[in-house]
Structure formats: C-alpha cells, structure tokens
C-alpha cells in the first residue's frame, strides 16, 4: 500500500506544528483532494469550516463529502450554515442519498432543495417521488400537483402524479391524471398501467387488458414492464382463467429475472446463512436465554414476522393503529446489524458463526442492542419515542435467537398462512428484489426457502425465551376483532377501537410492500384458499408444498388440524 503523497506528507507535518490553524487544515484538504482522497479532504475541510466559518469553506466541505460519496456527512455540512448555490447542492445530496437507498435522507434533502428552488418543476417531481418512497404520500402528492401547475404540458409530471394518486388511494384523481397524460402522449406506459389497474379494480377486466395492449411499454422503465405482466396476470386471475393468469405471472418473473439488478452472490450468501443457522440455532437460543438486564433505552419493540404474503403488512397496520404502537413498514435494522457484525466484532467469521460462544455476554449484548437501535433511528428518523415500535420483517423468524438475546424485553409475533397460498401469492408478486426476495422469482426456489425457513421456526419455537404469539392469517380474516384483541392483550395493552379503524390512518400514506392495495381495502378473504384454483399449475410442487403446509398445521386440503397456533393464549 503506497504512503501519502509528498504534498499530503508536507501538509500533515505543517498541521502537527499548528493543529488549530484553519489554514493548515485547508492545506491538508487541498492536498488530499489533489491525491483523490476525498474522505480525507472532507474531514480536513470540515475542520476548516468549524475553525473559520464562511460560505466558501462550507461549500468546499459539502463538495468533498459528495465526492467521497457520503450523503449523511454532506447533509450535516449543508445544515451547518449558508453556502453558495444551496439548491443545487441539496439536490446533489438527495441524488446521492437516493442512489444509496437512504429514502428518508433523500426526501429531506430534496425538500430543502425545493425550499430554495420552489419553481423548478423537475425538482418538484423528484422531491415528490422521494417523499412517497419515504412514506410521506401527501407531501409527495403536493409536490407533484405543484409540478403540473408549473409545467402543465410536462408528460412526466402527469405520469408520476397518476401513479402516486393510485398508490395513495385516490382513484378518481388518478384516472383524471392518467387521461391527461394519455392526451399529451398517447400510449404513455405509466398512465396505461394506472388506467388498467383502475379498470381492474372496478371489475372491468377486459377493458383493463385492452388498455394494457394499447400501451407502449417498449419505452417503459424496467419496473413498468414487469408490472404490465403482473397486471395482466391479475386480470386473468379475477376472470378465473388460471392458465392465462399463471402464464402472465411466468412472463412477469422471467422479465423481472432478466432485468433484475439483484447481486446473485447476495442471494447465495443469504441462502447459505439460512442453512448455517440450523446447526447452531439451539446453542444461540440457549445463550439468548441467559438472563441479563438490558439498558433502559426506550419502549421495547414488537417484532412481527411471517413468510412473505402471509398477512404481515395487514397485521402490522392493524396493530399499529393502537395509540401505544408504531408501524414502521419494513425497516431492516436487524439485517443491517448482521451485515456489520464482522466490522464490529473483528475476525473473518460471518453470521451466525461469529456469534457462537459469545451471545451470552452482557457487554456484547449491550453493544449490539445499542447499534441496532442506532441503525433503526438512522433508517427511520423522527418516530415518536413514547410508542412501542412494530419491527416487521417477514424473514426475521430466522433471526429469533439474535433478537431474543438483544431484546429480552420484546415480544415476538409470527403470522402463518397456508404455504400453498403464500407460494402462489409470492410467485404472483412483483417484489423489490434483494438477497432474500430474489428467491421469489421461481417456484422451485420459493418452495425450497419455505422448507428451510419453516424448519428453522419449528426447531426454534420451543426454546424462544421471549414472549411469542402465533396467529393464522385465516383466523385474522375470519374474525379480525377477536384475533386483534388476543394479540393486543398479549402485549399487555388495553384494547382500542382504533385498531379496527386502521384504514382511516392510511389515507395518503405510501406502503412500500406489494400489499399496499389490499391493506387500504376492507379485510376480505378471497385470497385465502386461492391455491385450490391452481392445482393444475402447482402440480409439479404439490408434494413439497403439502409437506411445508403440514409443518404449520395445515392438512392436505388446507384445513387447520387442531388448535390454531396462538389462537388461544
């Protein structure tokens, strides 16, 4: 590894002689910048801005942070005081944060840019979509509505507006905006897709298919092309043509797989991690059961898990309507903590092996708990500090030992649904793919992951040292109030009628999972047992699916054998 350049070495020597000199720090920043060490330059220019504040010094600091690809530090630098051209720099921070998947930071940066450049219609569109991604649907709509006022003939503004209006449960407004988009640009793909979805929701399935046929999806973004096939499959499903519907979902997944940006190595790593948990899970759970006194760092969380498409989102927002609970819409704090374990603990081992023989250590538990809390706060800033957070991640069942060790004061909920239904529903969804969800594009992989995840849960369940409540999706849709009352009571909370009125709190809110449409509707049971209609299509996997169903207490025909887990506490 090469040492510092002569200019950097000279600047460091000068700084040792005058450590409080802004000029010496600036010389070091310039030397780092010339050598391409932008992280070093950002640190040095930050010291200059603190010691000799000026617009120019802060601008150099911000620009170095941006060049170092550090949106959080750039955000903090911009907040420290005035800079030249703040609108441009706030937008650059938003772009960088968005590229790194930091939705809330991006939305905040774009909001600041809009305050400086309120009449930039393109910026309004970007800010609106960022706000929606961060869960601020109404704020996003306001930006997009302003954008079309500023540029009434701008096709992209109208197209994005109709998409967001549909997502946020404003069908008539979405229809008007979609028609306006198509008047400006016939066959525009976003508007064609939205209009087709609205036709399907109104029961006009053939009109929806006709609208899709008329759309020009050759110029559409990848996600729109995938959702076009998804919408076709949904239409045929509603028309009870299972063969056509399944063929549509096959095309959707093939398109998604061709265009997916998922790192295949991430998929392999996730699956290997699941396999590695089996041999060590008993030891990890035993370590987690060793008593310790966690720090008083806020209300204990409620962890909610279940296989994807099991009803986790519905249950999260029902329970989250309780005044003592706060939904968070899938915030992967535990996954992020696991990714940081090698750096935090040192060595070459990875999770779960890195925790063997160490998880019972109170000092380590305290450290990892604090880190997990810090990650969560960074991912979801501004949450009320007097409510119990519902940390909902579908696959967190596999991490129940780690969760139990770090949060012995928490509750764990797991919702089950007939695996034949969840397999079919996963295959029918256009997920945002990552290392775990990348396995949802092929039925072979879905069934395989079910077997592994359900096996881990069956192994872990008797030894989980924190309170656990289990419930079946079928029980939830059959009797929502009775099911919710049991779960709320299990958390030690008084009943609140707000739980049953959860839908009123979702107006204008963007839910990031594929369940957003269902959660905004009145609870229905039409999806329960849908697999019976697809017996011909599911035939190649039926034996394996029946075995997976038996693990969760479902019979060959879908009946629940005996008591439903957690239905009686």
């Amino acid at each position: 590894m090469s040492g510092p350049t002569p200019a950097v070495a000279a600047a460091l020597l000068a700084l040792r002689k005058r450590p409080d000199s802004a000029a010496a720090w600036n010389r070091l920043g310039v030397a780092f910048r010339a050598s391409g060490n932008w992280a070093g330059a950002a640190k040095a220019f930050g010291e200059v801005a603190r010691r000799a504040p000026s617009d120019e010094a802060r601008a150099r600091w911000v620009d170095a942070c941006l060049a170092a690809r550090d949106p959080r530090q750039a955000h903090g630098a911009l907040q420290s005081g005035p800079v030249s051209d703040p609108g441009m720099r706030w937008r650059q921070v938003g772009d960088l944060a968005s590229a790194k998947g930091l939705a809330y930071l991006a939305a905040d940066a774009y909001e600041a840019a809009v305050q400086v450049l309120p009449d930039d219609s393109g910026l309004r569109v970007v800010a609106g979509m960022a706000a929606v991604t961060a869960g601020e649907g109404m704020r996003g709509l306001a930006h997009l509505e302003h954008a079309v006022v500023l540029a009434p003939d701008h096709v992209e503004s109208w197209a994005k507006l109709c998409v967001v209006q549909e997502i946020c449960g404003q069908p008539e407004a979405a229809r008007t905006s979609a028609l306006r988009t198509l008047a400006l640009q016939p066959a525009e793909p976003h508007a064609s897709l939205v209009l087709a979805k609205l036709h399907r929701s109104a029961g006009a399935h053939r009109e929806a298919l006709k609208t899709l046929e008329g759309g020009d999806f050759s110029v559409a973004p990848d996600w729109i092309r995938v959702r076009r096939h998804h919408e076709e499959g949904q239409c045929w499903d509603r028309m009870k043509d299972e063969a056509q519907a399944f063929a549509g979902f096959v095309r959707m997944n093939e398109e998604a797989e061709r265009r997916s940006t998922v790192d295949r190595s991430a998929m392999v790593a996730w699956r290997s991690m699941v396999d590695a948990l089996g041999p060590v899970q008993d030891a990890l759970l035993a370590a987690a059961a060793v008593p310790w006194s966690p720090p008083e760092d806020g209300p204990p969380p409620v962890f909610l898990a279940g296989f994807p498409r099991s009803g986790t989102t519905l249950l999260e927002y029902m329970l989250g309507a309780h005044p003592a609970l706060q939904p968070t819409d899938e915030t992967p704090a535990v996954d992020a903590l696991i990714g940081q374990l090698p750096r935090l603990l040192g060595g070459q081992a990875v999770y779960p092996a890195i925790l063997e023989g160490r998880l019972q250590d109170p000092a380590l538990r305290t450290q990892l708990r604090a880190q997990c809390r810090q990650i969560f706060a960074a991912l979801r800033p501004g949450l009320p500090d007097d409510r119990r957070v519902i940390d909902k991640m579908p696959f967190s069942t596999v991490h129940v030992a780690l969760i139990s060790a770090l949060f012995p004061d928490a509750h764990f909920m797991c919702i089950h649904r007939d695996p034949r239904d969840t397999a079919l529903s996963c295959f029918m969804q256009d997920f945002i793919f990552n290392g775990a969800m990348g396995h949802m594009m092929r039925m072979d992989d879905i069934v395989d992951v079910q077997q592994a995840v359900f096996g881990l849960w069956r192994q872990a369940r008797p030894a989980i040292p924190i309170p656990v409540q289990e419930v079946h999706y079928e029980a939830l849709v059959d009797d929502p109030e009775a099911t919710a009352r049991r779960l709320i009571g299990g958390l030690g909370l008084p009943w609140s009628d707000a739980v049953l009125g959860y839908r009123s709190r979702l107006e204008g809110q963007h839910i990031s999972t594929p369940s957003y449409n269902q959660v905004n509707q009145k609870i229905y049971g039409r999806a329960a047992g849908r697999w019976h209609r697809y017996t011909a299509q599911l035939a190649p996997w039926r034996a394996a699916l029946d075995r997976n169903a038996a693990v969760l207490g479902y019979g060959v025909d879908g009946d629940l054998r005996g008591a439903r887990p957690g239905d009686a506490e």
Side-chain angles (χ1 to χ4, degrees):
M1 182 176 180
S2 61
T5 66
V8 169
L12 287 169
L13 181 62
L15 184 64
R16 280 196 289 271
K17 295 178 180 178
R18 295 188 300 158
D20 295 323
S21 167
W25 278 106
N26 189 65
R27 179 181 176 184
L28 179 61
V30 171
F32 274 136
R33 183 175 62 189
S35 70
N37 183 346
W38 288 106
K43 179 178 179 181
F45 287 140
E47 293 296 332
V48 175
R50 281 186 279 272
R51 286 171 168 77
S54 70
D55 291 10
E56 183 182 357
R58 282 186 291 267
R60 282 198 303 269
W61 182 19
V62 172
D63 293 345
C65 293
L66 289 168
R69 309 288 294 169
D70 188 339
R72 288 194 176 94
Q73 192 179 33
H75 188 280
L78 271 170
Q79 287 183 317
S80 68
V83 298
S84 59
D85 207 350
M88 177 198 71
R89 288 187 164 88
W90 275 119
R91 180 163 187 168
Q92 289 175 329
V93 173
D95 291 344
L96 181 57
S98 180
K100 287 181 169 287
L102 302 172
Y104 303 98
L105 189 69
D108 189 68
Y110 287 132
E111 190 70 24
V114 167
Q115 299 308 310
V116 181
L117 303 170
D119 295 330
D120 185 326
S121 61
L123 176 60
R124 287 277 186 177
V125 173
V126 173
M129 298 308 294
V132 171
T133 302
E136 297 288 341
M138 295 308 292
R139 182 153 62 96
L141 278 175
H143 283 309
L144 291 164
E145 289 167 351
H146 202 115
V148 298
V149 171
L150 291 170
D153 294 329
H154 187 233
V155 173
E156 182 187 3
S157 299
W158 283 105
K160 296 291 178 63
L161 177 59
C162 75
V163 169
V164 173
Q165 287 169 329
E166 190 275 328
I167 288 174
C168 291
Q170 298 184 8
E172 291 309 312
R175 184 184 306 278
T176 299
S177 297
L179 291 173
R180 171 64 175 163
T181 306
L182 293 171
L184 291 169
Q185 181 180 317
E188 198 283 328
H190 296 79
S192 298
L193 179 65
V194 167
L195 202 57
K197 293 177 73 172
L198 295 173
H199 285 318
R200 172 171 61 86
S201 296
H205 305 123
R206 294 200 178 277
E207 187 65 25
L209 290 170
K210 181 179 178 181
T211 301
L212 291 172
E213 290 171 2
D216 183 7
F217 292 92
S218 65
V219 297
D222 290 347
W223 69 272
I224 288 285
R225 296 187 189 194
V226 172
R227 291 189 181 181
R228 177 258 185 100
H229 295 302
H230 172 261
E231 192 59 32
E232 288 174 342
Q234 292 289 345
C235 288
W236 288 116
D237 175 73
R238 296 290 181 86
M239 294 164 67
K240 301 297 190 293
D241 190 329
E242 289 76 23
Q244 289 268 37
F246 200 81
F249 296 125
V250 168
R251 289 192 296 272
M252 176 194 76
N253 284 301
E254 289 175 346
E255 183 86 9
E257 193 164 8
R258 280 197 303 271
R259 302 180 183 280
S260 174
T261 57
V262 173
D263 183 350
R264 295 290 169 179
S265 64
M267 292 175 59
V268 172
W270 184 86
R271 190 64 182 83
S272 298
M273 177 268 295
V274 172
D275 288 338
L277 276 163
V280 303
Q281 184 167 242
D282 290 343
L284 294 179
L285 284 165
V290 175
W292 75 298
S293 298
E296 296 183 3
D297 53 5
V302 177
F303 291 91
L304 173 59
F307 201 81
R309 306 298 298 164
S310 290
T312 53
T313 302
L314 170 61
L315 185 56
E316 176 192 17
Y317 281 93
M318 284 186 67
L319 300 179
H322 191 285
L325 299 172
Q326 174 66 47
T328 58
D329 192 24
E330 295 193 8
T331 303
V334 173
D335 289 334
L337 174 66
I338 288 169
Q340 294 180 12
L341 287 177
R343 177 179 62 81
L344 294 171
L345 305 184
Q348 299 298 313
V350 295
Y351 177 84
I354 196 170
L355 294 177
E356 286 188 78
R358 308 171 76 171
L359 201 51
Q360 68 273 19
D361 179 5
L364 177 64
R365 289 179 171 184
T366 301
Q367 175 193 0
L368 297 185
R369 177 182 172 116
Q371 184 70 11
C372 193
R373 290 276 202 186
Q374 182 179 338
I375 293 169
F376 199 96
L379 292 173
R380 290 302 309 266
L383 291 179
D385 57 11
D386 60 343
R387 298 182 189 173
R388 297 184 67 178
V389 163
I390 302 175
D391 188 335
K392 185 264 289 186
M393 288 297 292
F395 283 121
S396 61
T397 50
V398 303
H399 305 310
V400 68
L402 175 60
I403 289 169
S404 300
L406 304 188
F407 296 95
D409 48 348
H411 280 71
F412 198 97
M413 291 185 181
C414 187
I415 183 167
H416 302 300
R417 182 182 174 191
D418 190 316
R420 289 155 295 214
D421 270 334
T422 57
L424 179 62
S425 188
C426 285
F427 190 73
M428 293 168 65
Q429 295 305 316
D430 54 329
F431 290 110
I432 296 174
F433 296 116
N434 54 30
M437 300 310 294
H439 295 274
M440 300 295 109
M441 291 182 280
R442 299 182 182 185
M443 190 63 74
D444 287 336
D445 291 341
I446 296 171
V447 175
D448 174 67
V449 169
Q450 279 188 342
Q451 180 180 358
V453 171
F454 297 160
L456 281 174
W457 179 251
R458 180 170 59 179
Q459 175 189 354
R461 181 62 183 90
I464 299 173
I466 62 175
V468 176
Q469 296 187 83
E470 295 179 83
V471 65
H472 278 91
Y473 169 81
E474 293 81 3
L476 180 63
V477 297
D478 284 350
D479 195 339
E481 180 173 353
T483 303
R485 281 184 178 276
R486 281 192 292 271
L487 296 173
I488 292 292
L491 296 174
L493 297 173
W495 175 251
S496 170
D497 288 335
V499 172
L500 298 182
Y502 72 96
R503 290 171 56 225
S504 65
R505 296 184 56 183
L506 298 179
E507 183 177 353
Q509 182 170 342
H510 171 47
I511 297 170
S512 65
T513 73
S515 305
Y516 74 87
N517 268 326
Q518 295 94 322
V519 172
N520 275 292
Q521 297 175 21
K522 185 177 180 180
I523 293 176
Y524 59 82
R526 68 169 179 263
R530 177 163 50 187
W531 68 270
H532 287 286
R533 292 171 38 214
Y534 286 85
T535 52
Q537 288 73 30
L538 293 177
W541 305 277
R542 181 64 187 276
L545 285 168
D546 286 350
R547 289 192 295 270
N548 292 342
V551 173
L552 299 185
Y554 293 87
V556 173
D557 293 325
D559 57 307
L560 281 166
R561 301 179 305 198
R564 296 174 176 179
D567 288 352
E569 297 296 328

